Amino acid sequence: QVRLVESGGGLVQAGESLRVSCLASTTIFSIYAVAWYRQAPGKQREFVATITSSGRTDYADSVKGRFTISRDNARNRMYLQMNSLKPEDTAVYYCKATANGRIYWGQGTQVTVSS
């Protein structure tokens, strides 16, 4: 069992930046493909960004050029740097880890962007 704990959410104004992080309780974090998802009130959870064990990244069109996903395998952490935030980025942000057919989710961290 892998536990994922997100942190770093908060309230910011439009145009500002925020970085959220996710700590994994595993010593083999490097083998996991990890991703960020988000869920806004009344909407389905949606994909934001992913980074594979080899470092390949992919982003949702809505965040390309503004968000950057990264990972630090030595610290069992992943990050999402969010720049030029917009009110429509307001959501609960979840981290997800996948390996060997198993999927783990964190509990989420709230990001609120005011206009």
Side-chain angles (χ1 to χ4, degrees), residues 5-8 19-23 36 77-80 109:
V5 180
E6 300 95 336
S7 61
R19 188 178 79 161
V20 292
S21 65
C22 176
L23 175 64
W36 288 97
R77 284 188 179 272
M78 60 181 286
Y79 304 96
L80 185 67
T109 185

Side-chain angles (χ1 to χ4, degrees), residues 8-109:
L11 172 64
V12 297
Q13 292 188 335
E16 293 185 340
S17 298
L18 195 65
R19 188 178 79 161
V20 292
S21 65
C22 176
L23 175 64
S25 65
T26 174
T27 57
I28 54 170
F29 179 69
S30 62
I31 74 168
Y32 286 82
V34 291
W36 288 97
Y37 283 70
R38 66 186 182 187
Q39 187 167 17
K43 295 187 177 181
Q44 290 187 334
R45 191 172 298 188
E46 65 176 4
F47 167 78
V48 176
T50 188
I51 183 167
T52 66
S53 57
S54 60
R56 181 171 55 87
T57 61
D58 192 19
Y59 297 91
D61 288 343
S62 59
V63 306
K64 279 182 182 176
R66 298 189 298 123
F67 290 11
T68 302
I69 189 172
S70 61
R71 63 191 299 163
D72 184 342
N73 292 333
R75 292 179 171 80
N76 298 332
R77 284 188 179 272
M78 60 181 286
Y79 304 96
L80 185 67
Q81 176 68 41
M82 302 180 288
N83 298 330
S84 302
L85 282 161
K86 304 175 182 180
E88 51 263 44
D89 295 318
T90 295
V92 177
Y93 283 72
Y94 298 89
C95 60
K96 172 187 174 184
T98 306
N100 299 326
R102 297 188 176 186
I103 300 173
Y104 303 95
W105 290 93
Q107 84 290 345
T109 185

